[in-house]
Amino acid sequence: MTDRPVPQADIRPLMGGFPSGVSVVTALDADGTPRGMTCTSLASVALCPPTLVICLRTASPTTRSVLLGGQLALNLLHEEARATSDLFGSGDPDRFALTPWHLPLGAGGPHLTGAAHAIADCEVTGTREVGDHTAVFVRVRRFTADDAAAPLLYGRRRYARWSHAVTDVREGAGHVGA
């Protein structure tokens, strides 16, 4: 192992070694225009109340829509949805015309039904700006999940399929926190 100095603005090599699931955060502008961005920076904060923290680029139009509207939809992408992740990470202004979505009654934002294995509708409960990002704390109001679909993973600037990465616990994998 080698020590690495931490340049002021770049911890990407460190965090790239911490693979995560891939999501798309969606919301609506005040005029009803759908907004969305790919996000891998999220974590569970509490079970009661059911709270997550999602870190979004502060200057993003999606972040502005989330903060002004006070709600969002968190679309957790399945392992066949790499193209959707790339699309919503590209900034393409036509991204909602290029992927299937719908807006159910009471949704926090557009649901990417063809790309997500789970979708959570959330309300913003707090924020904290840190550098060029805003940590957005949300309470999960409701969610839907397809337990048969496997998650899309991302780390070290590469995608991976959950179905290729998992091993059976009986084969020697332990429990986190045991």
Side-chain angles (χ1 to χ4, degrees):
M1 222 186 258
T2 58
D3 287 339
R4 294 186 187 188
V6 180
Q8 176 68 23
D10 194 1
I11 60 169
R12 289 176 289 191
L14 171 68
M15 295 313 298
F18 186 70
S20 67
V22 182
S23 70
V24 172
V25 172
T26 59
L28 297 175
D29 270 349
D31 67 0
T33 302
R35 299 286 182 190
M37 65 190 293
T38 300
C39 175
T40 58
S41 185
L42 65 105
S44 174
V45 174
L47 295 176
C48 188
T51 304
L52 308 173
V53 62
I54 304 167
C55 299
L56 304 173
R57 189 172 49 82
T58 301
S60 165
T62 301
T63 304
R64 284 192 296 277
S65 296
V66 166
L67 298 180
L68 289 173
Q71 60 183 356
L72 61 85
L74 179 64
N75 297 269
L76 303 181
L77 301 187
H78 61 66
E79 64 183 7
E80 301 294 330
R82 178 181 177 171
T84 301
S85 174
D86 289 342
L87 177 63
F88 280 83
S90 74
D92 185 329
D94 295 325
R95 57 190 157 234
F96 281 96
L98 299 172
T99 192
W101 64 278
H102 78 282
L103 188 66
L105 186 62
H111 287 195
L112 305 180
T113 53
H117 71 87
I119 302 169
D121 291 305
C122 307
E123 68 178 280
V124 175
T125 59
T127 64
R128 169 127 189 213
E129 259 188 66
V130 180
D132 61 352
H133 277 64
T134 300
V136 180
F137 293 87
V138 297
R139 184 178 65 82
V140 177
R141 292 190 322 245
R142 68 178 185 191
F143 75 93
T144 59
D146 176 358
D147 293 335
L152 179 64
L153 304 175
Y154 187 79
R156 293 193 173 165
R157 298 181 183 250
R158 294 186 305 239
Y159 291 99
R161 295 169 168 270
W162 175 265
S163 62
H164 294 168
V166 297
T167 59
D168 192 326
V169 171
R170 291 167 286 178
E171 292 177 17
H175 295 284
V176 174

